[in-house]
Amino acid sequence: MAETPSEISFTSIQVTRHTVHSEFLEREVLIDLYLPVESLRKEPLSLLLINDGQDLPKMPFDELLDQLITDGEIQPLIAVGIHCGEDRKMEYGTAYAADFKGRGAKAGLYTKFVFDELLPFIRKISLMQSFKDKSFAGFSLGALSAMDIVWNHPSEFNRIGVFSGSLWWRRKGYEDGYEDEKDRLMHLQIRKGGFYPWIRTFIQCGQLDEAEDRNKNGIIDSIDDALDLIIEMKAKGYTDEHIHYLEMEDGKHDVPTWARALPLFLKWGWGV
């Protein structure tokens, strides 16, 4: 894991590392706070939560965010990288239901951590009682978790960032009669959910994300799952104004790919 000093200052942001004690998760949660410098904190700022925040220093997200704000390409915003724990496959997932192997059983507790422990902590250390708006992003399984939390709390958020999301998360194994239309948990939630016109979604996939092609249609599963998710969203009323899909020809399921996609996401969401 790349290490971040306890405090580091840039032209536009300050980065500090903190520990949040969670009663819900029964562990200490490390977070990195990317806070605009005091001169840029003159009005309520947007808040961006990012799952798998331990990967951000490898990108490096701090330099990227600082450069975009300094150059005036995006509005100043507060970002929080939430480090995963050893129980990542249990804490991330869908609170709606665990997957067919029982993974994601603590997703509901993770959601409670975000609202009841993390957000109050962020308000306290950032000295901001309210935010202009809130967004949630993540990578791989962390992306599924972010989307699940936003989808189930639409009044709290405005944007979702899904990078190589684990949208295959399913309630049945292939050998147990799995069907695309019935068993992908995030797709099911969207089908049963509502239309929230203020929510905008950024979905990134790489053509080299994986090699699996369960339906043998010549398209890898991660892209199929993402495109099917967009179909479900459009059936609810979302349009291309709400959804930005980025498919990277040379994109892999790795940190360097997500590092290249992040500037596009930040400009899409907070561009000046």
Side-chain angles (χ1 to χ4, degrees), residues 96-134:
Y96 170 71
D99 88 328
F100 71 106
K101 288 187 176 180
R103 295 170 295 194
K106 294 183 179 179
L109 292 173
Y110 185 74
T111 301
K112 287 181 178 294
F113 156 72
V114 168
F115 283 105
D116 296 346
E117 295 172 331
L118 178 62
L119 286 175
F121 183 85
I122 295 169
R123 290 188 184 99
K124 180 180 178 180
I125 59 174
S126 68
L127 302 178
M128 290 199 174
Q129 291 308 304
S130 63
F131 303 101
K132 182 178 178 182
D133 52 46
K134 297 193 291 291

Side-chain angles (χ1 to χ4, degrees), residues 56-210:
L56 294 178
K58 305 170 190 174
M59 297 192 179
F61 180 73
D62 49 11
E63 295 178 14
L64 165 65
L65 183 63
D66 176 64
Q67 193 69 53
L68 289 173
I69 295 175
T70 299
D71 291 348
E73 294 193 63
I74 66 170
Q75 304 164 21
L77 72 149
I78 300 170
V80 177
I82 312 164
H83 293 225
C84 73
E86 294 181 0
D87 224 2
R88 178 177 181 272
K89 290 182 179 178
M90 290 302 236
E91 293 178 1
Y92 288 171
T94 53
Y96 170 71
D99 88 328
F100 71 106
K101 288 187 176 180
R103 295 170 295 194
K106 294 183 179 179
L109 292 173
Y110 185 74
T111 301
K112 287 181 178 294
F113 156 72
V114 168
F115 283 105
D116 296 346
E117 295 172 331
L118 178 62
L119 286 175
F121 183 85
I122 295 169
R123 290 188 184 99
K124 180 180 178 180
I125 59 174
S126 68
L127 302 178
M128 290 199 174
Q129 291 308 304
S130 63
F131 303 101
K132 182 178 178 182
D133 52 46
K134 297 193 291 291
S135 303
F136 214 144
F139 313 103
S140 190
L141 186 53
L144 176 69
S145 166
M147 183 160 202
D148 180 69
I149 290 171
V150 174
W151 187 257
N152 286 291
H153 302 86
S155 63
E156 294 286 336
F157 296 96
N158 289 74
R159 303 173 199 81
I160 312 169
V162 177
F163 298 85
S164 298
S166 299
L167 302 174
W168 55 266
W169 205 247
R170 56 190 183 268
R171 61 183 181 180
K172 281 186 182 179
Y174 296 141
E175 67 281 358
D176 297 321
Y178 164 86
E179 296 180 45
D180 275 353
E181 294 302 312
K182 297 180 180 178
D183 296 315
R184 287 176 296 187
L185 288 165
M186 198 64 237
H187 297 68
L188 277 176
Q189 289 196 85
I190 288 174
R191 195 175 307 152
K192 294 178 179 179
F195 173 54
Y196 315 110
W198 58 89
I199 291 182
R200 298 169 64 218
T201 305
F202 182 103
I203 300 175
Q204 175 271 332
C205 279
Q207 292 184 11
L208 305 178
D209 249 318
E210 62 174 330

Side-chain angles (χ1 to χ4, degrees), residues 180 184 212-221 224 228:
D180 275 353
R184 287 176 296 187
E212 296 299 316
D213 179 14
R214 61 177 176 262
N215 60 5
K216 311 301 180 188
N217 67 345
I219 301 172
I220 59 172
D221 291 344
D224 258 346
D228 286 349

